[in-house]
Amino acid sequence: MEADGAENTDISNTKKPKHKGKHDKPKPWDEDPNIDRWKIEKFDPSWNQGGMLDVSSFSTLFPKYREKYLTDAWPMVKSALKEFGIDCELNKNEGSMTVKTTIKTRDPYIIVKARDLIKLLSRSVPAPQAIKILNDDMSCDIIKIGNMIRNKERFVKRRQNLVGPNSSTLKALELLTGCYILVQGNTVAAMGSFKGLKQVRRIVEDCIQNKMHPVYHIKILMMKKELEKDPALKNENWDRFLPKYKKKTVKQKKVKSKKKKQDTPFPPPQQPSMEDIQLETGEYFLSDKKKQAKKWHEKQEKQLEKTAENKRKREAAFVPPKELIKEDPRTDADNNKDVAAMAMSLKKKAKEFGKQKSFENVNPEDYIATSGEQPRKKKSKRDEPRS
């Protein structure tokens, strides 16, 4: 028993740990250059000779305005589906289209293509264009744009941006993406390759959500088309070549909030009638002649006021405007200079006049030197005897 237990522990220890992708081993056809993995091969009926085991069907409604067109184009649609063994029915009473498989159906995916066909027909796509969806290399995408924005006016403007003037923007997108695009109501129907449909969906969503205008997407796609031609840039990142657009926020005017009226349970006061107003003014009791005379006087007064106002306006044109006299700043500076010069000359004259006065008061005896006498000192006010 102990030996058996030891053997079990050895087996459990020797088990390899589980890891994800252990069967992902290189296959011999992975590196085969003759295989094109993106190519969609055409279905061969010999692959499914037994047919379908059960009946599959799809139905969709169509609007009333499409009824006349669908009745005219239905034989063409029916003959196109008959080649793939699909039966179709147009019910005018219910307003619906139905497709279903038959005993002759071989391709199991053709019923999904037929479902896309009736969807496109109900979304106003022309029948010759919608029948192309039955090809293997063609796909479709119906983008719902009605619920992306609430405001109806903004929705209509942004949808018009997608179409462009004279459908120029839409035609440019069709050429660059290689898809057929139809903008109708609250949906955008597109037909083309998977790569093109992915680009169309991104452009439509960015336009309706106001993230980027379709014109900028067109510029980017045109640059990518040019970069694809250069084989040296095939395996490089193209972000450095592509333009980067920033969203600009436009300042919106602030809406003035209206003051809410106070709700009162009482009704508003009744407005006075014409008879009440005439009773208050006393006009109600006047005769017809007096009433007419009063109206005529009021009319004459209004006319006089109007003529006086018109006369005033006419005379205003002949009144000469007042001329503005511009003062030259140079004259102010010259005046200031003259005043300063006069002040300086007056000061000089005052100094000269003071000097002359001092010369006149000089005593010549003071300058004559006496023998043995010293010059007398001037008495200060302090030496003078006080009285």
Side-chain angles (χ1 to χ4, degrees):
M1 291 294 288
E2 290 176 1
D4 292 339
E7 284 177 4
N8 289 334
T9 53
D10 293 338
I11 291 164
S12 61
N13 292 329
T14 54
K15 279 183 180 179
K16 293 180 180 180
K18 291 182 179 181
H19 65 276
K20 196 175 180 181
K22 62 181 179 179
H23 300 293
D24 295 343
K25 295 175 183 178
K27 276 73 173 181
W29 55 82
D30 283 346
E31 297 178 0
D32 192 355
N34 298 323
I35 297 171
D36 187 6
R37 291 167 185 78
W38 294 102
K39 187 181 178 183
I40 300 170
E41 294 184 5
K42 195 175 181 181
F43 181 78
D44 190 2
S46 61
W47 296 348
N48 186 18
Q49 293 180 357
M52 309 296 288
L53 296 174
D54 200 358
V55 177
S56 300
S57 64
F58 292 101
S59 62
T60 185
L61 299 172
F62 60 87
K64 185 72 176 176
Y65 65 86
R66 291 288 290 169
E67 185 177 339
K68 188 179 179 182
Y69 178 80
L70 288 171
T71 49
D72 296 339
W74 199 249
M76 182 170 52
V77 176
K78 198 169 186 178
S79 62
L81 289 169
K82 194 175 182 181
E83 294 178 6
F84 298 94
I86 299 291
D87 190 19
C88 59
E89 184 184 352
L90 178 68
N91 193 338
K92 295 179 185 177
N93 296 327
E94 294 180 1
S96 64
M97 293 179 284
T98 309
V99 289
K100 57 183 177 181
T101 56
T102 59
I103 302 167
K104 296 179 181 179
T105 308
R106 294 291 177 266
D107 187 358
Y109 192 70
I110 197 67
I111 188 65
V112 179
K113 294 272 190 181
R115 179 202 64 184
D116 294 341
L117 170 62
I118 57 174
K119 273 187 180 181
L120 292 168
L121 288 169
S122 65
R123 296 313 309 151
S124 301
V125 178
Q129 179 66 35
I131 287 166
K132 292 179 183 177
I133 196 66
L134 299 173
N135 299 332
D136 291 332
D137 58 344
M138 187 70 74
S139 304
C140 76
D141 188 11
I142 295 169
I143 307 159
K144 293 180 181 179
I145 58 174
N147 57 357
M148 286 186 184
I149 185 168
R150 290 183 181 179
N151 195 335
K152 192 174 181 181
E153 292 179 2
R154 286 182 184 175
F155 170 73
V156 171
K157 283 181 182 178
R158 290 176 190 177
R159 187 178 63 182
Q160 187 58 35
N161 289 341
L162 188 64
V163 177
N166 298 325
S167 303
S168 58
T169 308
L170 205 64
K171 287 174 187 175
L173 289 171
E174 285 180 352
L175 289 169
L176 291 167
T177 56
C179 298
Y180 170 81
I181 306 167
L182 178 72
V183 181
Q184 175 70 22
N186 293 330
T187 58
V188 176
M191 293 173 63
S193 62
F194 285 108
K195 186 181 177 182
L197 292 174
K198 191 177 179 182
Q199 290 173 343
V200 170
R201 177 171 275 275
R202 187 182 174 187
I203 291 164
V204 170
E205 287 178 354
D206 286 357
C207 178
I208 302 299
Q209 293 172 0
N210 201 23
K211 289 181 179 178
M212 191 185 288
H213 199 276
V215 172
Y216 299 133
H217 276 293
I218 289 167
K219 288 180 181 179
I220 291 165
L221 288 170
M222 287 171 73
M223 292 188 77
K224 283 182 178 179
K225 287 276 183 185
E226 293 295 323
L227 290 166
E228 281 175 3
K229 295 175 184 177
D230 192 356
L233 301 170
K234 190 176 181 181
N235 298 321
E236 289 188 17
N237 192 5
W238 294 347
D239 288 342
R240 57 198 172 103
F241 301 109
L242 299 176
K244 293 177 183 178
Y245 300 105
K246 291 182 180 179
K247 188 180 175 183
K248 293 180 181 178
T249 53
V250 182
K251 290 183 179 180
Q252 296 180 350
K253 291 182 180 178
K254 292 182 179 179
V255 181
K256 292 180 180 179
S257 58
K258 294 180 180 178
K259 291 181 180 179
K260 292 183 179 179
K261 294 180 180 179
Q262 292 181 353
D263 295 331
T264 55
F266 304 105
Q270 189 176 358
Q271 297 296 324
S273 62
M274 285 293 294
E275 291 179 357
D276 296 336
I277 295 164
Q278 286 177 358
L279 284 167
E280 287 179 4
T281 56
E283 192 181 345
Y284 184 79
F285 302 102
L286 296 173
S287 61
D288 293 337
K289 286 184 178 180
K290 288 182 178 179
K291 284 180 183 177
Q292 288 176 1
K294 189 180 180 183
K295 282 183 181 178
W296 185 79
H297 282 300
E298 288 175 356
K299 193 175 181 181
Q300 289 293 322
E301 286 175 1
K302 284 182 181 178
Q303 284 180 356
L304 288 169
E305 287 177 3
K306 193 74 176 175
T307 51
E309 189 180 347
N310 291 336
K311 189 178 180 182
R312 205 182 306 113
K313 285 180 181 178
R314 286 196 299 272
E315 288 175 353
F318 299 101
V319 176
K322 291 182 180 179
E323 294 183 2
L324 297 171
I325 301 166
K326 292 184 178 179
E327 293 181 357
D328 194 358
R330 295 175 187 174
T331 56
D332 296 340
D334 293 340
N335 293 335
N336 293 334
K337 286 179 182 178
D338 294 342
V339 171
M342 283 172 70
M344 290 292 288
S345 64
L346 286 169
K347 282 180 181 179
K348 284 181 181 180
K349 286 179 181 178
K351 281 182 180 179
E352 289 173 1
F353 184 71
K355 285 179 182 179
Q356 286 176 5
K357 220 171 186 183
S358 62
F359 281 126
E360 288 173 2
N361 296 331
V362 171
N363 192 2
E365 292 178 358
D366 296 336
Y367 289 91
I368 298 168
T370 56
S371 60
E373 290 183 3
Q374 291 182 353
R376 293 179 182 177
K377 291 183 181 178
K378 290 182 180 179
K379 292 182 179 181
S380 62
K381 288 182 181 180
R382 292 178 183 177
D383 298 336
E384 290 176 0
R386 294 183 184 176
S387 57

